[in-house]
Amino acid sequence: MKPNPSTSSDISFDDFKSQILQDYETAVTSRECSVMGRREVLSGKAKFGIFGDGKELPQLAMARAFQDGDFRSGYYRDQTFMMALGYLSPKAFFHGLYATTDLEKEPMSAGRQMGGHFVTHSLNEDGSWKNLTEQKNSSADISCTAGQMPRLLGLAQASKIYRNIEGIDRTNFSKNGDEVAWGTIGNASTSEGHFFETMNAAGVMQVPMVICIWDDEYGISVPSEYHTTKGDISEALSGLQRDDDKKGFEILKVKGWDYTALIHAFENASDIAREGHVPVLIHVTELTQPQGHSTSGSHERYKSSERLEWERENDCNKRFREWILENGISTEEDLKKVEREIKHKVRAAKKEAWSEFLKPQLAAKKELVPLLDKAASQSPNRAFINKLKNDLIAIEEPLKKDLASKSRQALRYLLGESTPEKKQLQQWVDDFLTTNEPQYSSHLYNELGNKATKVKQVLPSYSNEDEVDGRIILRDNFDALFTKYPEALVFGEDTGNIGDVNQGLEGLQKKYGKLRVADTGIRETTIIGQGIGMALRGLRPIAEIQYLDYILYAIQTLSDDLATLMYRTVGKQKAPLIVRTRGHRLEGIWHSGSPMGGLINLLRGMYILVPRNMTQAAGFYNTLMKSDEPALIIESLNGYRLKEKKPSNLGEFCTPIGKVETLKEGTDITLLSYGSTLRIVEKVANDLLEVGIDAEVIDAQSLLPFDLEHDVVKSLQKTNRFLVIDEDVPGGCSAYLLQEVVEKQGGYRYLDSAPQTLSAKAHRPAYASDGDYFSKPNAEDIFEKVYQIMHESDPKSYPVLR
């Protein structure tokens, strides 16, 4: 059911009365889904439940103010809002609860996320954008408390960009920047740093953002006085309130059971944000949790009898019902009739959803049982197989894992046998896994033809041999990209006015303006959030984190939101954000870190690129702009002033993603490295020639993905020895690269010596040049390590060094 977009300020009383009754039906439907949903969890049909009961009325008011083109960035209690927009039917609600893997039936995540996590589809089947201005939009929810806040900032900033920058194709994304980004959050989650960082940034930036706080005075079992100064978030944030002299937030406070006040508050907030691009906070108080926080516990354990009685009396649906009767909008008899009909409708939807959920498993069971029976009849282990078969028959409502587990166990009892029945069972298992495993693992990366790894390499071309500082190549390449792509923009700490700390953007703010080349405050998490939100709305942001060490501030947002976005939406949303940073060897604990092992494991779903110089880096930016996937590019911090030849095809040459580059060919040992350490490896390779060791040097370039063409193993076939050199901690990225080559590429088959790694020490790098020398692999370390490997294989030719 979709609400009439008219509001109470411009419709007749009869229409307003109709709206009220429609809203009441939605509220009752949502509540009935919550009640029945809890029972489904307690019965074991669903795994876990967290519902929006007690928050229905303010969500209805929000839906009334929400317009086409607007975006929601919310959390797992907004089911009533999604129902009011027509994006969540009762049957789809239960499919989400059961984790149905059919995207048609469970459009939020095809069972990948638990119920209560909502999304709308931004992409067509071919990966192209839908017209987001013709639909109401929800960015994909995550469970992490306040994790929705950083992206909210970017969703709102996109409207500011579209309203104020000419030359961008707005067709599918904006109508004059009139769209509002709506955020929802529970009162307890406002204690998180993500919330405060986002609020401060929005107040500074003045973007059309409305943040709605559903306040039921608890955070699970902990009352609000333990969460919030003064026990009241709007009072605690009163310093953000705008006035005649200074910009800030508009702060509105409204009771969650007061329908007319809610309607007016949300209309007011919409107008303020939409017209003036002023952020608004709506603090919705006196809400309740009729069933407690979730299905994992009961709120009777921690709420007093007085509080429980107050919640029963002030339940927003109950108060809404009383208001309808008091004002003669409906009668007791009519409301009871509506309530009965809704109860029947929700119960029928639940039953139908469960039937549809079970249907493919029951069909598969019908196929599998005869196959097990036939296999048992021909096997000396028939008793064991028959037990598995009978156990499966006894499962009246099987899950996919039951079918997979029983069938695979049966194959163990057929070892050594070669019968047609066994082959049929093997084929069934293979087909079943081939069909079902992708339902849980697809779309970690783009699976369409425009993925970044398919962008063909374009080599740099040179019109002369002149050399410049590496930063000049980056700067002029960014200049070419900003001219070529009007939707491209970059922002970060010191990014704008001074052109970043290493001058890779020198002069570009003056040329392209303060919105496209922008400074930000010191707030890494919301810098990433800006990028995610703007990328979700069709822009091509480059979010700059000043140093690699500082990316740890934003790792939760990168890992839980950006890296998982395509996976958890089954390819229905994308955020092609490029994260630019600089790192590796410098001097000291806080500016020399290379936490690559952590990044490559936490950021699966993003590309992680480690160019050795600025030409390679520029080529990666060019490649990514031709695609639409998120990536992290780590420029070598000590390479900006090193001389490189300047390409003549800036903005055009492309460094391939997922491909290594052999920098020096050799016959004795393969050395694999990347980034700043690679330059040391190259020097050592030349030194090794003096003692008769001819090393092959390979630049990894791209860590996620790594060496898609398996070129490293081709090197091992020639050299038969392998060393990975890395400045991460022991067991970090070097161990990952070792596994990729030795295990995944099968490199172990060609080795005559044990594969080894040479990494930094386990501690952070100590300060100054001596600290770098003794903390991270130096030239002598590398030389001696290679020599030792050669000594072990041929001690006569390579006598003991030390």
Side-chain angles (χ1 to χ4, degrees):
M1 63 187 80
K2 293 198 174 185
N4 187 314
S6 301
T7 65
S8 58
S9 60
D10 56 13
I11 61 176
S12 68
F13 178 75
D14 286 342
D15 288 338
F16 186 48
K17 178 179 176 180
S18 176
Q19 169 186 303
I20 292 166
L21 294 176
Q22 184 184 63
D23 280 351
Y24 183 70
E25 288 186 30
T26 303
V28 174
T29 299
S30 179
R31 177 65 61 88
E32 196 61 34
C33 285
S34 295
V35 171
M36 291 190 186
R38 181 179 178 85
R39 292 172 187 162
E40 292 300 273
V41 174
L42 297 179
S43 73
K45 286 184 176 179
K47 195 74 174 177
F48 181 78
I50 191 161
F51 307 112
D53 49 305
K55 316 296 187 293
E56 291 90 350
L57 218 55
Q59 291 179 34
L60 292 167
M62 177 174 152
R64 291 286 168 191
F66 202 89
Q67 297 184 14
D68 285 349
D70 286 0
F71 259 88
R72 166 191 169 272
S73 182
Y75 81 134
Y76 39 73
R77 299 207 187 273
D78 291 347
Q79 70 194 46
T80 309
F81 173 80
M82 296 299 288
M83 288 179 175
L85 294 188
Y87 288 135
L88 182 67
S89 68
K91 189 164 76 167
F93 170 91
F94 287 104
H95 273 300
L97 202 59
Y98 302 142
T100 300
T101 55
D102 185 339
L103 195 62
E104 292 294 320
K105 295 180 173 63
E106 204 287 89
M108 300 303 154
S109 72
R112 293 185 177 186
Q113 297 208 104
M114 65 181 180
H117 291 69
F118 305 116
V119 67
T120 53
H121 297 180
S122 299
L123 306 178
N124 297 307
E125 290 300 317
D126 63 357
S128 62
W129 291 100
K130 292 186 174 184
N131 190 329
L132 304 184
T133 69
E134 295 179 349
Q135 64 181 42
K136 296 175 175 66
N137 304 284
S138 174
S139 59
D141 291 342
I142 56 178
S143 290
C144 324
T145 53
Q148 70 273 28
M149 292 296 295
R151 100 171 80 94
L152 175 64
L153 181 67
L155 290 169
Q157 186 185 3
S159 290
K160 187 170 186 174
I161 297 297
Y162 282 123
R163 179 175 287 185
N164 292 286
I165 294 180
E166 297 296 327
I168 303 175
D169 183 1
R170 302 173 173 82
T171 305
N172 291 328
F173 307 109
S174 181
K175 293 183 178 178
N176 195 40
D178 290 342
E179 301 79 22
V180 172
W182 299 78
T184 66
I185 191 170
N187 57 296
S189 295
T190 64
S191 302
E192 295 279 11
H194 289 3
F195 173 81
F196 281 96
E197 189 172 316
T198 301
M199 296 296 288
N200 178 63
V204 170
M205 296 168 62
Q206 291 293 286
V207 291
M209 178 181 109
V210 178
I211 179 66
C212 313
I213 300 170
W214 310 146
D215 189 350
D216 57 27
E217 299 186 20
Y218 280 84
I220 306 184
S221 66
V222 181
S224 57
E225 57 262 31
Y226 290 92
H227 291 283
T228 309
T229 300
K230 302 180 181 180
D232 186 311
I233 189 61
S234 58
E235 189 175 348
L237 293 176
S238 58
L240 295 178
Q241 175 74 53
R242 63 176 181 162
D243 56 36
D244 292 338
D245 298 322
K246 294 182 179 179
K247 296 178 180 179
F249 267 79
E250 185 60 51
I251 298 178
L252 307 175
K253 197 169 186 177
V254 59
K255 290 179 173 56
W257 46 262
D258 190 335
Y259 181 76
T260 54
L262 285 164
I263 292 291
H264 289 303
F266 278 85
E267 287 177 2
N268 190 19
S270 175
D271 291 343
I272 292 170
R274 201 176 305 280
E275 295 169 11
H277 278 196
V278 173
V280 182
L281 182 150
I282 305 178
H283 184 190
V284 183
T285 63
E286 297 192 16
L287 291 170
T288 66
Q289 281 189 333
Q291 299 185 117
H293 174 77
S294 71
T295 55
S296 62
S298 169
H299 62 158
E300 285 84 0
R301 291 185 300 153
Y302 54 82
K303 290 178 181 175
S304 67
S305 57
E306 292 80 10
R307 172 69 193 188
L308 291 169
E309 177 60 27
W310 181 90
E311 290 198 7
R312 283 189 288 270
E313 290 301 314
N314 290 280
D315 180 297
C316 65
N317 282 13
K318 178 177 180 293
R319 295 288 296 265
F320 188 26
R321 190 182 195 278
E322 291 169 350
W323 178 82
I324 289 172
L325 294 174
E326 289 170 3
N327 287 274
I329 295 168
S330 186
T331 65
E332 179 73 24
E333 182 181 355
D334 286 342
L335 289 185
K336 284 185 175 180
K337 180 182 177 183
V338 166
E339 292 158 2
R340 284 193 300 270
E341 291 173 350
I342 289 172
K343 191 180 289 286
H344 290 310
K345 180 180 72 174
V346 172
R347 186 179 292 115
K350 173 178 70 71
K351 185 177 180 180
E352 189 175 351
W354 182 244
S355 176
E356 290 177 353
F357 169 75
L358 283 178
K359 186 176 180 180
Q361 287 88 268
L362 292 174
K365 176 183 172 181
K366 190 175 181 179
E367 295 175 350
L368 178 57
V369 168
L371 291 177
L372 291 172
D373 190 54
K374 290 178 182 179
S377 68
Q378 301 298 315
S379 174
N381 291 318
R382 63 178 59 87
F384 299 102
I385 300 172
N386 278 328
K387 183 180 185 307
L388 290 170
K389 179 194 70 175
N390 292 331
D391 287 346
L392 180 59
I393 291 172
I395 303 174
E396 294 182 0
E397 298 176 331
L399 300 176
K400 292 175 184 175
K401 78 176 185 67
D402 298 320
L403 298 158
S405 178
K406 299 298 183 188
S407 60
R408 294 170 78 180
Q409 288 179 55
L411 290 176
R412 301 175 194 173
Y413 297 112
L414 298 170
L415 285 171
E417 299 181 25
S418 181
T419 64
E421 290 78 10
K422 175 186 175 180
K423 290 178 181 177
Q424 283 183 313
L425 181 60
Q426 285 176 323
Q427 187 63 53
W428 190 93
V429 171
D430 289 344
D431 291 345
F432 187 79
L433 294 177
T434 299
T435 299
N436 286 282
E437 282 182 341
Q439 295 174 353
Y440 303 92
S441 59
S442 69
H443 293 90
L444 182 59
Y445 293 90
N446 179 8
E447 298 186 352
L448 300 172
N450 64 337
K451 63 187 304 178
T453 53
K454 292 189 177 181
V455 175
K456 292 184 178 180
Q457 180 177 15
V458 178
L459 293 171
S461 58
Y462 300 93
S463 57
N464 56 58
E465 296 296 313
D466 292 346
E467 292 190 337
V468 297
D469 289 348
R471 72 171 187 89
I472 300 298
I473 296 172
L474 272 178
R475 181 197 66 187
D476 292 353
N477 194 77
F478 279 129
D479 189 7
L481 288 179
F482 292 153
T483 299
K484 186 176 181 179
Y485 300 100
E487 66 273 20
L489 60 158
V490 63
F491 47 91
E493 298 161 17
D494 296 311
T495 296
N497 185 39
I498 69 170
D500 88 43
V501 290
N502 294 101
Q503 301 287 278
L505 296 163
E506 179 189 24
L508 296 187
Q509 185 183 80
K510 185 176 181 180
K511 182 173 182 178
Y512 294 102
K514 291 183 178 181
L515 288 178
R516 288 192 69 189
V517 183
D519 285 311
T520 70
I522 299 176
R523 45 176 182 79
E524 285 77 12
T525 300
T526 45
I527 290 172
I528 297 300
Q530 286 177 246
I532 296 171
M534 287 193 284
L536 281 165
R537 293 191 58 193
L539 295 169
R540 294 306 309 268
I542 301 171
E544 182 174 312
I545 301 297
Q546 193 165 88
Y547 295 108
L548 181 59
D549 304 80
Y550 301 165
I551 209 165
L552 298 181
Y553 283 98
I555 198 69
Q556 185 272 325
T557 299
L558 285 167
S559 180
D560 290 334
D561 199 352
L562 181 60
T564 66
L565 176 66
M566 185 162 285
Y567 169 77
R568 70 181 192 273
T569 65
V570 201
K572 293 304 179 183
Q573 286 193 348
K574 60 183 177 183
L577 167 64
I578 301 172
V579 181
R580 178 193 183 210
T581 190
R582 52 193 65 82
H584 309 315
R585 312 179 77 120
L586 190 62
E587 293 180 349
I589 290 175
W590 308 118
H591 294 79
S592 305
S594 297
M596 304 308 300
L599 297 179
I600 59 176
N601 286 295
L602 292 168
L603 301 184
R604 300 296 170 104
M606 293 179 65
Y607 295 129
I608 298 184
L609 310 173
V610 282
R612 67 181 180 273
N613 58 37
M614 302 311 155
T615 301
Q616 298 297 101
F620 277 136
Y621 289 113
N622 297 342
T623 298
L624 290 167
M625 290 300 291
K626 288 185 176 182
S627 183
D628 56 3
E629 295 170 88
L632 169 64
I633 298 181
I634 303 166
E635 299 163 9
S636 293
L637 185 52
N638 55 11
Y640 292 105
R641 303 291 173 178
L642 297 180
K643 300 298 182 182
E644 300 179 37
K645 288 195 298 181
K646 184 178 179 180
S648 56
N649 56 340
L650 293 167
E652 300 298 331
F653 64 90
C654 294
T655 307
I657 291 174
K659 183 174 176 61
V660 301
E661 182 176 356
T662 300
L663 302 181
K664 176 190 174 300
E665 293 193 356
T667 57
D668 294 325
I669 188 170
T670 299
L671 306 180
L672 175 65
S673 189
Y674 61 88
S676 297
T677 300
L678 183 73
R679 291 197 292 271
I680 303 175
V681 173
E682 285 187 279
K683 179 182 180 303
V684 170
N686 290 325
D687 295 342
L688 286 166
L689 290 171
E690 298 176 5
V691 294
I693 299 174
D694 188 9
E696 185 145 299
V697 178
I698 298 179
D699 180 6
Q701 293 192 120
S702 171
L703 299 180
L704 287 180
F706 171 74
D707 192 12
L708 296 175
E709 297 178 7
H710 290 192
D711 287 327
V712 177
V713 79
K714 297 170 189 173
S715 174
L716 297 192
Q717 293 176 29
K718 176 174 56 173
T719 67
N720 310 120
R721 295 176 185 86
F722 186 40
L723 175 65
V724 182
I725 305 99
D726 173 49
E727 59 175 295
D728 194 6
V729 296
C733 190
S734 57
Y736 158 76
L737 292 171
L738 196 69
Q739 184 201 24
E740 287 283 316
V741 176
V742 175
E743 181 182 329
K744 290 180 67 175
Q745 295 187 11
Y748 68 91
R749 292 174 291 181
Y750 308 106
L751 294 174
D752 294 336
S753 300
Q756 297 192 46
T757 64
L758 177 60
S759 65
K761 299 294 191 295
H763 55 73
R764 295 289 184 95
Y767 174 59
S769 297
D770 285 345
D772 175 80
Y773 185 88
F774 289 103
S775 299
K776 295 196 172 187
N778 56 60
E780 288 69 42
D781 291 335
I782 299 168
F783 185 100
E784 293 175 6
K785 186 74 167 180
V786 173
Y787 190 90
Q788 180 62 28
I789 293 172
M790 299 304 295
H791 165 74
E792 289 174 358
S793 65
D794 187 357
K796 184 176 180 180
S797 300
Y798 305 101
V800 173
L801 179 62
R802 70 175 178 90

